[in-house]
Amino acid sequence: MARACVNDRGLDWGRLAISTLMVGGSLIAPTGAARAETASIGGWFVSDEHRSDGTFSHCMMLTPYLNKERKVLLSVTLSRDKLAMLAVSDTDWTLEEGAKYSAKVAIDGGKPTAHTATNGGGVARVEVPEWSPFAAALREAEVLAVKSSAGVVSFRLYDMAEALRALESCAATGHPPTIKRIVRDDKGNVIREESIPPVKDPVPDIVIQKRK
């Protein structure tokens, strides 16, 4: 299994990725749309996305996988009404713009499930028809594999349960959760609130198999 490396520029790369990657279909945010907040949850970045008129559109969680000079992004978007999409962006992919096909997603080596996917701008966007069972499976997952017309990418997952909680909170409220610890006295009165520093970026595993 190839070992990817997140270097000390990982945070900057993640923020840049969030500002440039727009994830599909009805959840796509137009170029120039405002972005209010970004929270770092382990190795994930959770952001709220807005339409060009400033109204809330959806939330996105994204993590970069770096393998030498190759950059692969894994992201999940979720709207307030539970419309969701999984996306994979690979700098080495050349995908036909707007092409639709059946992509397969497998969790922990289980039976792959077919989903409708759309290619565009080097991004494979996979529609998630039912959020609840998909999220439940992801919370327990260790490896996620996505097969597209460009090949198969398998991701070793870290901090998934925590990131999903943040994504769902963001979709419900319109902004990422503030990560804080509340300190109380013996009577339960709040003494102070302390910000919790982000968890150190993990070093995720990634296996890439190009289409033959």
Side-chain angles (χ1 to χ4, degrees):
M1 179 175 289
R3 193 73 177 172
C5 178
V6 177
N7 58 25
D8 58 0
R9 295 188 303 165
L11 184 60
D12 291 335
W13 165 248
R15 287 171 177 164
L16 176 62
I18 287 174
S19 68
T20 57
L21 179 62
M22 313 300 180
V23 184
S26 61
L27 302 186
I28 194 166
T31 302
R35 281 165 179 77
E37 297 179 61
T38 300
S40 176
I41 313 295
W44 292 86
F45 301 91
V46 179
S47 66
D48 54 324
E49 307 293 314
H50 296 76
R51 303 179 183 88
S52 56
D53 62 1
T55 58
F56 174 70
S57 172
H58 62 281
C59 287
M60 175 170 65
M61 54 182 276
L62 176 149
T63 190
Y65 288 76
L66 309 182
N67 189 344
K68 296 181 180 179
E69 297 302 317
R70 190 168 184 174
K71 302 178 180 69
V72 181
L73 299 177
L74 174 65
S75 65
V76 181
T77 60
L78 182 65
S79 68
R80 187 164 286 161
D81 53 358
K82 303 299 184 182
L83 293 176
M85 196 162 288
L86 172 73
V88 179
S89 173
D90 188 334
T91 53
D92 280 9
W93 283 356
T94 301
L95 302 173
E96 181 182 351
E97 190 71 27
K100 287 185 177 293
Y101 62 98
S102 178
K104 293 185 177 180
V105 177
I107 294 176
D108 289 341
K111 183 179 179 180
T113 57
H115 301 264
T116 300
T118 304
N119 289 338
V123 181
R125 303 176 176 94
V126 182
E127 296 179 9
V128 179
E130 295 184 61
W131 170 249
S132 293
F134 180 72
L138 276 186
R139 283 188 180 91
E140 304 297 327
E142 294 184 1
V143 177
L144 174 71
V146 180
K147 182 178 181 180
S148 73
S149 60
V152 180
V153 183
S154 298
F155 301 95
R156 178 70 65 177
L157 302 177
Y158 295 88
D159 307 311
M160 177 59 77
E162 295 83 355
L164 283 174
R165 282 196 294 270
L167 179 70
E168 291 177 330
S169 173
C170 179
T173 63
H175 57 82
T178 301
I179 308 172
K180 289 186 176 181
R181 179 166 64 96
I182 299 175
V183 181
R184 300 178 183 272
D185 61 20
D186 294 339
K187 296 181 179 180
N189 299 315
V190 176
I191 300 174
R192 64 183 182 277
E193 292 186 358
E194 298 176 344
S195 295
I196 299 175
V199 178
K200 183 179 179 181
D201 288 345
V203 181
D205 287 332
I206 182 172
V207 175
I208 303 170
Q209 298 175 319
K210 289 188 176 180
R211 184 180 182 183
K212 298 179 180 179

